[in-house]
Amino acid sequence: MRDTVATPDLDRAIGFTIPARHARGRLVRLGPVVDQILAAHAYPPAIERLLGEALTLTALLGSTLKDAGGQLTMQAQTERGIVKLLVCDYQGGALRGYVQFDADRLATLGANPSLFAMFNQGYLAITFDQATTGERYQGIVPLEGESFSDAAEQYFVQSEQIPTLIRVGTRRDADGKLIAGGLFLQHLPDGEEGGERLHSRDDHPEWEHVSTLGGTMGSDELADPELTLETLIWRLFNEEREVRALSSVALSRGCRCDTAHIRQVLAKFPVEEREAMADDSGLITVDCAFCARGFPVSLTELASEEL
């Protein structure tokens, strides 16, 4: 197997399973997608790294959805922290995200502020929406640890009682663009399809073996676009009897703001409320926090569409 490729391996996720160890995993690497999302905002470096890590986690978790139309949303929020709100979501391979923060307070923290310094007493909420069944599942955990990865691990331990390992690495390329990569490992119960969770525990020897190997993966490897994701799987688990690579998922930037949808939403408001929203020229401008764009809608056009 060749370690490096002529074309950088970016904006892709791939899953794999290790049947004999009752484990599954996911690898993700982001390049142009995260750059396109960040380009819509003038974030300082610390916020760019934070959002890059959050988007990587969102891609890792979202790409495990079996429901093609399903959506994963990750939200971190606090009342007194410098970062007030961070939101990312995933649907069908499309990612989007944004951060609301206090720029003046952030500037006092230096170049590499800790997670606690930015969020204080925050929490992390992860929501899975299943399009086929309409079911929604949400788990909420304190935003604790050194990184978003630590908090996400605790989500799975506390909300789903599944031993989990998550690693995320970021770097800048020669042009200063952010590249991010991530690894997601889980220990599954014996008889994954409907079996009892007999061995889903942190101290099980199968999980200790898999998590120890996963822990050797460095952030430099995760964020190296010259290493294919398949190469990283081989580096970690080449001594296992069987490792099954699953089909990969192409990742894209996917803000779903749409003028037609905005018109439909505004049309549900009473005429008096719409007039109160409009400016002096009769335009209602709806801002999208994800893509930092404004969508102007004319009161006259709304009224004519209702005739």
Side-chain angles (χ1 to χ4, degrees):
M1 177 180 292
R2 294 177 60 188
D3 278 356
T4 59
V5 290
T7 303
D9 194 2
L10 295 166
D11 297 334
R12 190 166 70 98
I14 188 171
F16 59 92
T17 63
I18 310 173
R21 303 288 183 181
H22 302 99
R24 70 173 181 178
R26 205 85 183 167
L27 279 162
V28 161
R29 189 176 294 123
L30 297 174
V33 166
V34 72
D35 183 56
Q36 291 165 13
I37 293 172
L38 294 176
H41 310 273
Y43 292 145
I47 298 298
E48 287 192 337
R49 288 194 300 272
L50 179 68
L51 185 54
E53 181 178 5
L55 288 165
T56 303
L57 283 169
T58 302
L60 282 170
L61 305 184
S63 60
T64 65
L65 288 167
K66 295 179 180 179
D67 187 341
Q71 178 175 326
L72 177 134
T73 304
M74 187 167 69
Q75 178 174 310
Q77 192 167 356
T78 179
E79 293 183 359
R80 298 182 301 275
I82 289 173
V83 176
K84 301 174 183 178
L85 177 67
L86 182 150
V87 181
C88 297
D89 73 23
Y90 172 101
Q91 186 177 53
L95 290 163
R96 60 181 184 170
Y98 73 92
V99 185
Q100 293 178 352
F101 63 99
D102 187 323
D104 292 335
R105 292 174 62 195
L106 179 67
T108 67
L109 296 182
N112 297 294
S114 67
L115 192 70
F116 180 78
M118 288 193 287
F119 281 94
N120 202 324
Q121 300 293 328
Y123 68 85
L124 176 67
I126 299 178
T127 306
F128 293 88
D129 288 290
Q130 303 293 340
T132 302
T133 63
E135 294 178 324
R136 165 176 283 197
Y137 174 74
Q138 182 181 74
I140 301 175
V141 296
L143 193 56
E144 298 175 340
E146 297 297 321
S147 66
F148 253 94
S149 302
D150 294 339
E153 283 184 2
Q154 287 305 305
Y155 163 84
F156 284 100
V157 171
Q158 296 181 27
S159 298
E160 300 192 8
Q161 292 79 51
I162 299 178
T164 301
L165 174 75
I166 299 175
R167 293 288 183 270
V168 173
T170 62
R171 58 172 285 192
R172 300 278 180 177
D173 65 13
D175 297 321
K177 306 296 186 183
L178 190 70
I179 298 174
L183 168 68
F184 172 71
L185 287 173
Q186 284 189 318
H187 188 225
L188 300 174
D190 276 355
E192 180 183 349
E193 297 180 1
E196 294 184 81
R197 297 193 172 193
L198 298 179
H199 297 319
S200 183
R201 65 178 196 265
D202 287 330
D203 61 348
H204 191 278
E206 288 178 353
W207 173 243
E208 288 183 347
H209 175 81
V210 171
S211 61
T212 297
L213 291 178
T216 65
M217 179 61 65
S219 60
D220 55 336
E221 295 172 286
L222 289 170
D224 185 349
E226 303 305 319
L227 297 174
T228 68
L229 299 181
E230 288 83 358
T231 294
L232 297 187
I233 297 173
W234 183 84
R235 284 189 176 186
L236 288 174
F237 303 113
N238 63 84
E239 295 185 1
E240 297 300 315
R241 183 170 70 244
E242 180 185 17
V243 179
R244 299 175 185 171
L246 308 177
S247 58
S248 64
V249 176
L251 303 172
S252 62
R253 174 181 178 269
C255 192
R256 296 186 292 278
C257 50
D258 177 84
T259 302
H261 174 69
I262 291 171
R263 288 176 182 274
Q264 292 174 2
V265 173
L266 290 175
K268 297 177 182 179
F269 286 87
V271 174
E272 298 80 11
E273 292 187 26
R274 296 200 307 244
E275 290 176 347
M277 299 178 195
D279 61 17
D280 294 339
S281 61
L283 289 177
I284 301 173
T285 301
V286 178
D287 295 321
C288 175
F290 288 102
C291 65
R293 292 171 57 198
F295 292 83
V297 178
S298 167
L299 287 177
T300 303
E301 292 177 358
L302 281 174
S304 65
E305 290 172 359
E306 295 174 345
L307 296 177

